[in-house]
Amino acid sequence: MRRARNGEGPTLIEAKTYRWKGHSKSDAKKYRTREEERYWKEEQDPIEKMAVKLMADRIASRERLEALRVKAMEEIEAAVQFAEASPMPSPDTIEDDVYA
């Protein structure tokens, strides 16, 4: 992080987290135990860990973080409504903005 902030060129930052849901609606997540899911939800949730750090460092209050959460959820809901109300894209655009 220091290297990137010092402008020393591109930097790869690995952020380890956990995918709460399966790969698809048909994914029963049989490869996970309940203990594993509980551990990640109760002890390793990166959002909650960051909230605890921000409050400990007196950067944000619980009230401010809750207000941000509410605002984010409102923005997500607005984006979902926009997407659902939008027309389906033309099949002609299937390769637009695809980089590999």
Side-chain angles (χ1 to χ4, degrees):
M1 200 164 44
R2 185 174 324 144
R3 182 179 177 282
R5 288 181 177 160
N6 287 337
E8 297 173 23
T11 303
L12 173 67
I13 298 175
E14 180 183 22
K16 294 183 180 183
T17 189
Y18 190 81
R19 182 178 34 79
W20 302 111
K21 301 204 179 213
H23 291 282
S24 68
K25 290 181 180 181
S26 62
D27 183 354
K29 300 185 298 180
K30 292 182 180 181
Y31 45 88
R32 295 185 181 164
T33 65
R34 290 186 184 199
E35 292 77 22
E36 175 187 354
E37 289 185 345
R38 183 207 54 77
Y39 170 75
W40 277 94
K41 286 180 180 178
E42 294 177 10
E43 298 179 34
Q44 294 299 315
D45 180 353
I47 295 172
E48 185 57 29
K49 286 175 84 170
M50 178 56 81
V52 168
K53 178 165 179 40
L54 291 172
M55 289 185 294
D57 292 349
R58 298 181 186 265
I59 295 171
S61 66
R62 175 60 71 183
E63 294 77 17
R64 175 68 176 136
L65 295 173
E66 179 60 19
L68 288 171
R69 187 193 70 76
V70 168
K71 183 174 187 245
M73 294 306 292
E74 289 170 352
E75 290 179 11
I76 291 167
E77 182 57 33
V80 168
Q81 288 178 9
F82 173 80
E84 289 176 343
S86 296
M88 292 298 288
S90 166
D92 297 338
T93 65
I94 196 164
E95 294 182 0
D96 290 358
D97 303 315
V98 175
Y99 304 96

